[in-house]
Amino acid sequence: SCLLPLASCLLPQKKELSIDTFTIMLGRSLATVSKRSTFLRSIPRRTLCAAFTPNHALANKNHNVPLMSPQPRMQFSSAVAAVEHDEPSKTAEPAAPSFIPTAERKYEFFQNVEVNPDGIAIVRFDGPKKVNTISFKLKDEAETLWNSEIHNNADVKGVVFTSGKPDNFIAGADIFDIQAMENKEELIPLIESATDFFQHLKSKGVPLVCAINGPALGGGLEWALWCDYRICTDSPKTKMGLPEVKLGLLPGFGGTQNLFKLVGLQKAMDMMLTGKDIRPKQAKRMGLVDLVVAPQSLELVAIDTAKNLANGILKKRKGKKKSLQDRLVEDTSLGRHFMWQTIDKMVQKNTNGMYPAPFAIIDAVKYGIEHPQGEEKFKFERESFAKLAATTESEALIGIFDGMTKLKKHSYGKVAHPIDKVAVLGGGLMGSGIAQVTAEKGYEVLLKDRDDASVARGLSYIEDNWEKKLKRKRMSKFQYNINSSNIVPLTDDMESWKEHFGRADLVIEAVFEDVNLKRKIVAEMEGLTPDHCVFATNTSAIPIADIAAGAKRPEQIIGMHYFSPVPQMPLLEIIPHENTSDSTKAAAFEVGVKQGKTCIEVKDVPGFYVNRCLGPFLVEVSALVRDGVGLEELDKAAKNFGMPVGPIDLADNVGIDVTSHVANFLSRADLGDRMSGGDVSLMEGMIKKGWLGKKSNQGFYTYKGKEKTISSEVQAYVDAFKGADLNLQEEEIQNRLISRFVNEAAKCLEDEIIKDPVVGDIGLVFGTGFAPFRGGPFRYLDTYGVDKYVGMMNGFAEKYGPQFEPCQRKFYLMSPFLVRNYQTGRHHICGIHPLARTLYFLSYSRLS
């Protein structure tokens, strides 16, 4: 079921060689994937760095969605010490005290070794933190443990590696080992010592059994790959994968060399190039594990297995037996030639050549195949790892991951009252999506709309999504039933709805964008809900303070701006107004993080942060069209920069009417000259003609089935809008577009709409699809060179107008940022991280 179609070239039955792609359907039409080869489908679907081909939201008639949304699968699934937390952390995890060995606890990262009467040694990982992670310090201790207690112990006939922590094997390698090294070449001897240690384990000549319960990701799975036998549990928390590619890296502890020997080339490349998680049943089918058992039986079965392997009752498996088709593809020079050709083509298509890690993974595997004997293949792997670790792309992706981790924490203390029951007002696309992600996390959800038909549409949307998960085996029938039972549908006609709302702890409204309607709802909810109930509005534009005006409990009102489609989009903007209490903020963060969202706090201003940054970008699109840039040329330039879709394609998918609405709204807001320089009336004329975008089969592009073209009528309309053709080169097109984005982000930091550059980077990567390999607008500025960027913008300001003037900020206002050190990159000057330096240099360049 995981075969490359190129195998058909070698077999009688022929199939068309094709590569799956995403159809970008925003809003009500979620992304669909053509049903072809699992391998070919998985790479564009999961994406090689998690955000190459994002889905976007087709705004509903309420205009209550962002214009751009990130790839919904932008999740660092424990790639390098990344751990999924359901609950937000209130404070940073305290530093562990220095470890002092005792008889009861000899090791910091391991429980004391136990050797049973049959000679089976049980080694249990149990580090000082909440989850086990691989670090060089752990490796050193493991070497001490092995040499002192196992290697020279003739009584040890077999070894079981397992975890002393519940539901966690090893979550990955410690990211800070990588970050701490200024010179990444220093990683090479450290990684070499790790692979030497793994080979030292095998040199004892006794069976090594790995018993996995919970995540075994990155370095955790690589440890398991060095073992002779792998057993995992059927727990829903058990997953295995090599997601280093999501951080711009490759598996460095032998993963590129050991995995394909176990599961075959095609499945190994699928795992490493997508960074996907493998669940227990699939792991057994593909040969990644040898046995799947219940969690309660894991250690006993592992011990018995090690004993049987030692006694010769059980034989070591050297890899899953391949089908004829697999052998023709993977084990012949012609088959591999076509396989690599197909993979290279696919990677190039999905990365546009901008992410080096996938190509490095391919090269490492190829090198291992060409040099199967000796240590050269591991040398090639670790040297490639060090080169990748030194790239700006890896630094940027690690910065995003680190930012996500930091944003799980807040400083608002505990909620005043536990949140158990969440009421959602509105069963449309947004409301039903909010209800779905809330019910999936165990909350009781009250989904209310005006009538049965409206609620039924919302429930149908939710059930359809869950049916897809069932079909794809991402949800069990039991969990489906539990989730369904968590939702209580309610309508205006039901007398009991008020009684239900009388026990709600949080109300989230997702109704039409009208301030008077929202105020009316606030007043009604305050009369029905308990005094502790928090009221959250999902508005994308209306100031929260305006909605809270006249409320009895304004301190319990907050904005929670979700991105559509909610089940897929990872970002949540949390918008407190001036009088919102800390307890209310804590409640919003608690629910948002538990829903699986990355939460950023933003100031209560028009457009908040993400849509506010989009405004000048949209205006510049019209300016570039006026200056003679073709529609397809605009899209190509944006995609070549690394954006997920071009601005013209984006406008069509979101809807010309919605795009025009947002641009006009922000033009009337407080952005001043920054919304000048273009003419958004271009879209107003299209609305009058009924050219509303993809939903009407006619926007900038004409849509016929899967084809899209620019009609002569549209071209004539655009030509009439154009002024003088400036014959702009692609680099200037990109700089004009992106600088409007970047400058507005910097202005938001200057105006304290966002609290720090980390929030700014995460917000635009997850909220607009800003090229992830660039790390966000602030890291991009640092990489590009802030002085150089300011000079470019000043040049544009002289040439095109004040809309390009870079934001300014006096030195003394920068002091809060100068004292911070985010430790997410490798450049430090005077102890200041580049993200913290950005606005200082912007302002300094202007002032000087």
Side-chain angles (χ1 to χ4, degrees):
S1 65
C2 197
L3 302 173
L4 286 170
L6 61 88
S8 63
C9 300
L10 309 173
L11 296 174
Q13 55 269 43
K14 294 183 178 180
K15 294 183 180 179
E16 180 184 358
L17 175 60
S18 59
I19 299 176
D20 289 0
T21 57
F22 265 129
T23 300
I24 299 176
M25 299 293 289
L26 308 187
R28 297 184 186 278
S29 299
L30 297 179
T32 57
V33 183
S34 56
K35 297 180 180 179
R36 298 174 189 165
S37 161
T38 300
F39 174 59
L40 293 182
R41 182 169 69 248
S42 64
I43 291 183
R45 178 183 175 193
R46 302 286 282 194
T47 74
L48 301 177
C49 282
F52 303 146
T53 51
N55 298 323
H56 298 280
L58 175 61
N60 62 14
K61 63 181 180 181
N62 301 339
H63 312 297
N64 193 24
V65 295
L67 289 190
M68 297 179 75
S69 300
Q71 162 67 10
R73 301 186 185 279
M74 180 78 177
Q75 298 173 358
F76 293 94
S77 167
S78 303
V80 181
V83 182
E84 296 177 1
H85 296 294
D86 289 337
E87 302 294 341
S89 300
K90 308 296 190 292
T91 57
E93 188 173 328
S98 298
F99 177 74
I100 300 174
T102 65
E104 292 75 23
R105 179 76 186 220
K106 298 179 183 179
Y107 307 102
E108 183 177 5
F109 298 97
F110 299 88
Q111 294 179 6
N112 288 358
V113 176
E114 176 187 338
V115 180
N116 74 2
D118 294 315
I120 306 302
I122 301 98
V123 179
R124 300 181 180 91
F125 297 98
D126 191 10
K129 296 183 180 180
K130 183 178 179 181
V131 297
N132 294 320
T133 59
I134 294 285
S135 65
F136 295 122
K137 189 176 178 182
L138 177 145
K139 189 276 300 180
D140 290 341
E141 190 177 74
E143 195 166 9
T144 299
L145 178 154
W146 183 266
N147 289 333
S148 63
E149 302 204 36
I150 297 176
H151 193 73
N152 296 316
N153 187 346
D155 293 333
V156 173
K157 307 300 182 184
V159 181
V160 170
F161 293 106
T162 188
S163 173
K165 297 183 185 296
D167 300 323
N168 172 255
F169 181 66
I170 299 175
D174 192 334
I175 191 173
F176 299 108
D177 273 356
I178 301 170
Q179 289 181 303
M181 292 190 178
E182 189 77 16
N183 181 4
K184 303 306 182 187
E185 289 188 1
E186 294 176 6
L187 288 166
I188 295 174
L190 292 172
I191 297 173
E192 181 178 11
S193 69
T195 52
D196 286 348
F197 168 66
F198 287 125
Q199 291 173 319
H200 180 54
L201 297 183
K202 297 188 75 68
S203 70
K204 180 171 174 63
V206 299
L208 308 177
V209 176
C210 196
I212 300 167
N213 183 42
L217 298 152
L221 180 59
E222 288 184 278
W223 190 299
L225 292 176
W226 283 99
C227 294
D228 302 302
Y229 207 91
R230 285 151 297 279
I231 305 171
C232 76
T233 70
D234 57 6
S235 166
K237 294 186 178 181
T238 297
K239 56 185 177 181
M240 289 146 279
L242 296 175
E244 287 84 356
V245 70
K246 296 180 181 181
L247 296 184
L249 301 169
L250 54 69
F253 295 145
T256 63
Q257 306 306 314
N258 294 333
L259 181 62
F260 72 86
K261 296 173 185 176
L262 197 65
V263 302
L265 272 172
Q266 297 172 78
K267 294 182 178 66
M269 297 310 297
D270 182 19
M271 284 182 64
M272 290 187 287
L273 292 177
T274 65
K276 68 195 295 184
D277 292 336
I278 304 297
R279 298 291 175 173
K281 288 184 179 178
Q282 184 183 0
K284 177 65 169 64
R285 285 196 301 269
M286 66 191 293
L288 184 60
V289 300
D290 300 278
L291 194 62
V292 178
V293 300
Q296 299 86 345
S297 307
L298 178 64
E299 191 168 299
L300 289 175
V301 172
I303 292 170
D304 194 52
T305 299
K307 175 184 172 182
N308 290 337
L309 286 167
N311 294 337
I313 298 173
L314 188 64
K315 301 296 183 183
K316 298 178 184 178
R317 186 175 61 82
K318 295 184 178 181
K320 191 174 179 65
K321 186 177 180 181
K322 295 181 180 181
S323 67
L324 172 61
Q325 206 164 14
D326 279 343
R327 293 200 302 273
L328 289 172
V329 171
E330 299 178 6
D331 299 337
T332 66
S333 58
L334 180 61
R336 283 200 298 268
H337 170 77
F338 280 107
M339 182 187 72
W340 292 126
Q341 190 177 65
T342 304
I343 291 174
D344 285 340
K345 180 179 178 181
M346 194 180 311
V347 170
Q348 182 64 40
K349 179 178 180 179
N350 283 282
T351 67
N352 208 15
M354 295 176 179
Y355 294 78
F359 298 100
I361 290 171
I362 293 170
D363 289 342
V365 175
K366 283 183 176 179
Y367 192 91
I369 294 171
E370 294 165 2
H371 302 81
Q373 306 300 322
E375 302 303 310
E376 286 299 311
K377 55 184 179 291
F378 297 116
K379 181 175 182 289
F380 187 91
E381 179 189 74
R382 58 180 171 263
E383 289 177 350
S384 298
F385 184 96
K387 289 176 184 177
L388 289 173
T391 62
T392 56
E393 291 84 359
S394 178
E395 180 183 333
L397 292 169
I398 289 174
I400 293 171
F401 160 70
D402 197 35
M404 290 172 59
T405 303
K406 292 179 186 299
L407 290 175
K408 291 179 186 244
K409 306 176 180 73
H410 65 77
S411 59
Y412 298 120
K414 296 182 178 180
V415 297
H417 190 281
I419 306 295
D420 297 316
K421 183 174 291 191
V422 178
V424 179
L425 290 170
L429 179 66
M430 295 298 293
S432 57
I434 295 168
Q436 176 184 327
V437 298
T438 308
E440 286 175 350
K441 298 304 179 180
Y443 289 108
E444 182 180 350
V445 178
L446 309 176
L447 178 59
K448 180 183 177 294
D449 213 316
R450 61 181 181 274
D451 53 40
D452 290 341
S454 300
V455 170
R457 281 193 295 271
L459 290 175
S460 177
Y461 170 82
I462 295 170
E463 289 168 359
D464 286 348
N465 287 339
W466 286 340
E467 289 288 348
K468 290 173 185 175
K469 287 188 176 184
L470 272 177
K471 187 176 181 180
R472 296 168 185 167
K473 297 183 179 179
R474 294 178 183 168
M475 178 184 289
S476 66
K477 187 65 177 177
F478 174 77
Q479 190 59 52
Y480 177 97
N481 292 334
I482 292 293
N483 293 344
S484 298
S485 68
N486 285 337
I487 298 180
V488 179
L490 299 168
T491 67
D492 290 344
D493 297 333
M494 296 180 180
E495 294 182 3
S496 63
W497 80 263
K498 294 182 180 180
E499 182 180 348
H500 282 287
F501 271 65
R503 296 189 294 273
D505 304 307
L506 169 67
V507 174
I508 304 175
E509 68 82 7
V511 300
F512 189 76
E513 287 284 270
D514 179 89
V515 66
N516 292 321
L517 173 60
K518 292 179 186 291
R519 285 175 179 168
K520 180 181 177 181
I521 290 173
V522 169
E524 184 178 25
M525 291 299 104
E526 287 185 325
L528 291 173
T529 56
D531 289 343
H532 69 264
C533 185
V534 171
F535 183 90
T537 173
N538 182 48
T539 180
S540 62
I542 302 172
I544 310 304
D546 290 355
I547 296 172
K552 294 178 181 178
R553 303 191 294 266
E555 72 280 359
Q556 291 169 217
I557 296 176
I558 196 167
M560 293 178 71
H561 179 211
Y562 293 85
F563 289 69
S564 181
V566 178
Q568 282 76 30
M569 298 300 115
L571 189 67
L572 172 62
E573 287 183 315
I574 293 178
I575 313 104
H577 62 90
E578 187 176 12
N579 296 317
T580 301
S581 69
D582 283 354
S583 176
T584 299
K585 297 174 190 176
F589 271 98
E590 178 182 296
V591 172
V593 172
K594 190 170 182 179
Q595 288 171 334
K597 304 302 177 186
T598 296
C599 303
I600 62 171
E601 181 179 341
V602 301
K603 193 175 181 179
D604 186 18
V605 295
F608 309 135
Y609 175 59
V610 172
N611 284 345
R612 192 177 181 89
C613 290
L614 279 168
F617 174 84
L618 294 172
V619 171
E620 192 57 30
V621 171
S622 66
L624 285 164
V625 172
R626 180 201 59 205
D627 291 344
V629 180
L631 302 180
E632 292 174 310
E633 187 181 4
L634 255 177
D635 277 349
K636 181 182 177 183
K639 292 179 74 174
N640 285 346
F641 176 81
M643 302 301 282
V645 293
I648 302 302
D649 201 0
L650 168 73
D652 269 5
N653 278 282
V654 171
I656 302 299
D657 51 343
V658 177
T659 307
S660 176
H661 168 82
V662 172
N664 281 304
F665 170 79
L666 290 174
S667 295
R668 298 189 301 269
D670 58 347
L671 279 74
D673 286 339
R674 302 195 305 282
M675 284 296 291
S676 66
D679 184 0
V680 294
S681 66
L682 170 68
M683 292 179 286
E684 293 173 6
M686 295 176 69
I687 294 170
K688 292 177 182 178
K689 292 176 177 290
W691 299 347
L692 303 183
K694 195 169 185 179
K695 59 188 174 185
S696 65
N697 294 321
Q698 181 62 67
F700 286 108
Y701 293 106
T702 301
Y703 297 88
K704 292 182 180 179
K706 295 182 179 180
E707 294 183 1
K708 65 176 183 180
T709 57
I710 297 176
S711 69
S712 57
E713 187 178 3
V714 170
Q715 190 60 59
Y717 175 79
V718 172
D719 287 343
F721 178 81
K722 288 181 179 179
D725 190 344
L726 302 184
N727 295 312
L728 299 175
Q729 298 301 306
E730 183 174 271
E731 183 179 5
E732 184 165 349
I733 295 170
Q734 291 172 337
N735 285 334
R736 281 181 59 176
L737 269 177
I738 303 305
S739 66
R740 300 292 296 275
F741 240 142
V742 170
N743 193 51
E744 194 57 41
K747 181 65 176 172
C748 285
L749 183 54
E750 174 184 318
D751 293 342
E752 299 182 354
I753 293 169
I754 52 175
K755 68 178 182 178
D756 59 47
V758 172
V759 171
D761 281 344
I762 293 293
L764 286 195
V765 169
F766 284 3
T768 71
F770 192 99
F773 73 93
R774 300 188 188 274
F778 296 102
R779 189 172 290 277
Y780 170 60
L781 274 173
D782 184 71
T783 303
Y784 189 94
V786 181
D787 292 349
K788 181 181 175 183
Y789 208 80
V790 169
M792 178 192 71
M793 292 196 68
N794 284 331
F796 283 163
E798 293 175 6
K799 185 176 181 180
Y800 298 112
Q803 67 271 22
F804 284 102
E805 289 186 1
C807 74
Q808 302 178 46
R809 189 180 182 97
K810 294 182 180 179
F811 175 80
Y812 71 89
L813 288 178
M814 284 303 301
S815 57
F817 298 101
L818 294 175
V819 299
R820 292 182 185 171
N821 184 343
Y822 295 104
Q823 296 181 353
T824 56
R826 57 190 173 93
H827 303 296
H828 295 267
I829 297 178
C830 301
I832 303 168
H833 185 270
L835 298 182
R837 300 193 327 260
T838 297
L839 282 189
Y840 163 66
F841 281 118
L842 275 174
S843 59
Y844 180 81
S845 298
R846 293 289 297 158
L847 292 171
S848 61

